[in-house]
């Protein structure tokens, strides 16, 4: 299979030298890429900035912003068999970032943000050749209910629910649900173990 995997946290620039981002380490997305390669799949990894080195057998595309990630996903989605959106994509981006560095003043500063495109939702509704679409759901309450809502709204084949403690950490606990299947709980283990499970579930859905 050809896996298209996104990883890392996007950066949304408020001026040419400053950005809003999040605490994603990219570890889950990179672990997924390695797990798919280990199973001899083809991997395209679209990565926002991380401190990690992409696996040499993957085709890696580096992006920064949610808009750049969307362009890259659109470019490769038609050629993949399975998209896994493991990236922490910003939901908002500065509405009109100035072309010059914002100057300090003694006054309060208000930033106006506009919504970004929900890449996962776009993919769930634009698959023309039966690609699998797998998303993550980061929830701090009502984990299963919220994740199932996202799964339905974004028309996903599988959702992987996790909680904020997983962000930036080497280990994670997740709950996984495939469309029409039951919830599967994986308790505190390495992201490599979770990634291998997600890849094998994706194989079984194809
Ligand atoms: N996602 C995306 N494009 C965005 C935002 C999120 O593709 N602009 C994807 C993420 O990669 C993840 C999934 O959507 O796979 C869920 O992200 P999450 O932050 O949990 O949910 P949101 O849909 O952004 O909703 P909320 O933040 O309100 O919980």
């Amino acid at each position: 299979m050809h896996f298209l995997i996104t990883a890392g946290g996007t950066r949304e620039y408020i001026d040419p030298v400053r950005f809003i981002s999040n605490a994603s380490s990219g570890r889950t997305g990179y672990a997924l890429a390695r797990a798919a390669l280990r199973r001899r799949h083809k991997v395209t990894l679209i990565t926002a900035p991380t401190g990690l080195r992409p696996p040499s057998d993957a085709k890696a595309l580096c992006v920064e912003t949610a808009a750049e990630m969307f362009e890259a996903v659109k470019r490769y989605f038609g050629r993949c068999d399975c998209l896994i959106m493991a990236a922490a994509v910003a939901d908002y981006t500065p509405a009109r970032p100035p072309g010059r560095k914002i100057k300090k003043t003694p006054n309060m500063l208000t930033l106006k943000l506009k919504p970004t495109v929900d890449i996962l939702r776009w993919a769930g509704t634009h698959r023309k050749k039966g690609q699998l679409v797998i998303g993550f759901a980061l929830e701090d309450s009502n984990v299963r209910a919220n994740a199932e809502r996202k799964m339905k709204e974004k028309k996903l084949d599988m959702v992987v629910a996790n909680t904020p403690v997983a962000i930036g950490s080497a280990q994670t606990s997740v709950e996984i649900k495939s469309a029409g299947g039951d919830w599967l709980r994986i308790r505190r283990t390495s992201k490599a173990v979770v990634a291998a499970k997600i890849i094998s579930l994706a194989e079984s859905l194809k």
Side-chain angles (χ1 to χ4, degrees), residues 16 25 31 57 61-62 79 104 111 132 141 153 190:
S25 65
D57 292 341
L61 287 105
C62 298
R79 300 177 231 171
K104 178 170 60 188
L111 290 172
L132 292 175
S141 61
E153 283 176 6
S190 71

Side-chain angles (χ1 to χ4, degrees), residues 91-107:
D91 288 332
Y92 294 91
T93 193
R96 276 207 220 133
R100 293 164 150 233
K101 190 177 165 220
I102 298 170
K103 281 289 180 201
K104 178 170 60 188
T105 74
N107 304 326

